[in-house]
Amino acid sequence: MMKITLFAVIISAGILTSCNVNAKYRKQGNHWFEDGTLPNDKEGKKLYVDEGRSEYEELFKLHDAAAMAEKYTEDCVYMHQDLGILRGREAVRDAYADIFDSGKHSVEVETQDVELLETGYMQAIAVMHYFDEDHNSMGASRIFAILKPVEDGFETHRKAEITEYN
């Protein structure tokens, strides 16, 4: 069972390449920097991670499944322990709608590792802590994502999520 879970996490990591998630930056595209720059060094990567994490958390609170899905590539693959393998933005939109309907009000993202790959893609490993409206824990998920560089930033291309229930 442990080997299957580890394999699923590794596969899932290849799925989270294009997850840019803040509606207030939509006019500038899918990048997370107001000035339009992309991370290319340690400081830039930290800034990207910090801004990206807070923007994802803010967008999640809006419960706008369509806006969340726009942060994924058109041909994205999202592997979820409970939902199976989802392909494309429509499937991702429906999955976020289900997540919001389940009572998950907010999320706190704990970034564990982010790496700029030689291909220009970005790899991210994080833990998502979900909460209800009263900030009671609704469990956590470990995610592995591959972000694809696009003209104006990054979008989630591959994402894998393994849920840990309380």
Side-chain angles (χ1 to χ4, degrees), residues 16-32 48 56 59 63-76 78 88-97 100 147-148 150 152-157 159:
L16 208 161
T17 303
S18 40
C19 183
N20 296 328
V21 291
N22 198 333
K24 68 183 174 185
Y25 294 104
R26 190 177 299 242
K27 67 183 184 291
Q28 299 172 352
N30 277 337
H31 56 78
W32 285 339
Y48 182 85
Y56 182 86
L59 189 55
H63 290 187
D64 186 341
M68 295 293 280
E70 281 299 313
K71 303 305 180 175
Y72 289 75
T73 60
E74 191 68 41
D75 63 344
C76 66
Y78 184 169
R89 283 188 182 145
E90 274 189 49
V92 169
R93 184 197 64 225
D94 293 344
Y96 274 106
F100 300 143
L147 304 173
K148 180 180 181 178
V150 293
D152 56 357
F154 288 88
E155 291 179 339
T156 301
H157 184 60
K159 181 177 182 179

Side-chain angles (χ1 to χ4, degrees), residues 113-130:
D113 185 48
V114 175
E115 190 66 39
L116 293 171
L117 306 175
E118 289 180 17
T119 59
Y121 284 68
M122 187 179 296
Q123 168 183 296
I125 299 172
V127 176
M128 315 281 264
H129 300 277
Y130 297 102

